[in-house]
Amino acid sequence: MTEFYWILGSGILMSAIALVGSITLVLSRETLDRLLLPLVAVAAGSLIGGAFFHMLPAAVRQAGDSPAIWIATIAGFASFFLLEQLLHWHHCHRADAECRQPVTYLILIGDGIHNLIGGMAVASTFLLDIRLGITAWVAAALHEIPQELGDFGVLLHGGWDQRSALLMNVLSGLTF
């Protein structure tokens, strides 16, 4: 039963990391505008870095240098590109429409899936050993802080106001 409380507590704490964007609520608009592009760069760097420097090499080690790995990578990029184009067409084809950039919805979907899988991984680690679970949680939390801050920057840059971006980022974080 103690594992359940560790899992629940770690999930709540991890979801709270999505509140890291709330620091922007105290910044002036001018300062926030100067920080937006670097925040977008952090988001792009953490996603691309995670994929190309961690996940793909691990997949190649596990499965060998199979063309399926590279086909799946290209299919993932192509799927998100097509989904972005579809969202853009669907939501922004009227000239008078207030339009949030489609990439912001993709960030929320991708982050929600990422948090769900990460939550399952950390929870399963707690079931193996509490100390190992704590270690896995700390490693995941250190990864989440810049990633959530970058995601928040993408939402702001994509047309969301600060409060809506923070709320959606927290809701996405709750999937952990």
Side-chain angles (χ1 to χ4, degrees):
M1 190 63 160
T2 60
E3 290 93 355
F4 172 76
Y5 293 118
W6 277 100
I7 293 167
L8 183 63
S10 70
I12 291 168
L13 285 174
M14 188 65 77
S15 298
I17 289 175
L19 290 169
V20 73
S22 64
I23 62 170
T24 65
L25 297 175
V26 297
L27 299 176
S28 69
R29 186 68 202 176
E30 179 182 294
T31 303
L32 182 60
D33 288 342
R34 279 196 320 262
L35 290 175
L36 275 183
L37 286 179
L39 287 176
V40 171
V42 165
S46 67
L47 291 172
I48 291 172
F52 286 105
F53 297 124
H54 179 67
M55 299 305 292
L56 282 174
V60 168
R61 275 192 306 275
Q62 181 74 24
D65 195 10
S66 169
I69 294 169
W70 306 107
I71 291 170
T73 302
I74 292 168
F77 275 105
S79 297
F80 265 62
F81 175 74
L82 291 174
L83 184 56
E84 180 185 17
Q85 294 304 307
L86 177 68
L87 286 171
H88 186 72
W89 176 83
H90 180 71
H91 290 289
C92 301
H93 64 278
R94 294 186 311 269
D96 62 341
E98 181 182 315
C99 183
R100 292 180 175 147
Q101 294 297 315
V103 71
T104 60
Y105 296 103
L106 297 176
I107 284 288
L108 292 171
I109 292 166
D111 190 40
I113 293 168
H114 168 260
N115 289 332
L116 178 66
I117 293 169
M120 290 188 293
V122 170
S124 64
T125 308
F126 271 113
L127 292 175
L128 294 174
D129 184 295
I130 299 294
R131 293 169 301 195
L132 193 58
I134 292 169
T135 303
W137 184 89
V138 168
L142 291 173
H143 153 81
E144 281 296 308
I145 293 169
Q147 191 250 321
E148 291 294 343
L149 192 57
D151 289 352
F152 185 74
V154 170
L155 294 175
L156 292 179
H157 187 69
W160 295 68
D161 65 88
Q162 288 173 292
R163 294 188 193 284
S164 296
L166 186 61
L167 174 65
M168 294 308 290
N169 211 30
V170 169
L171 290 175
S172 174
L174 286 174
T175 61
F176 187 86

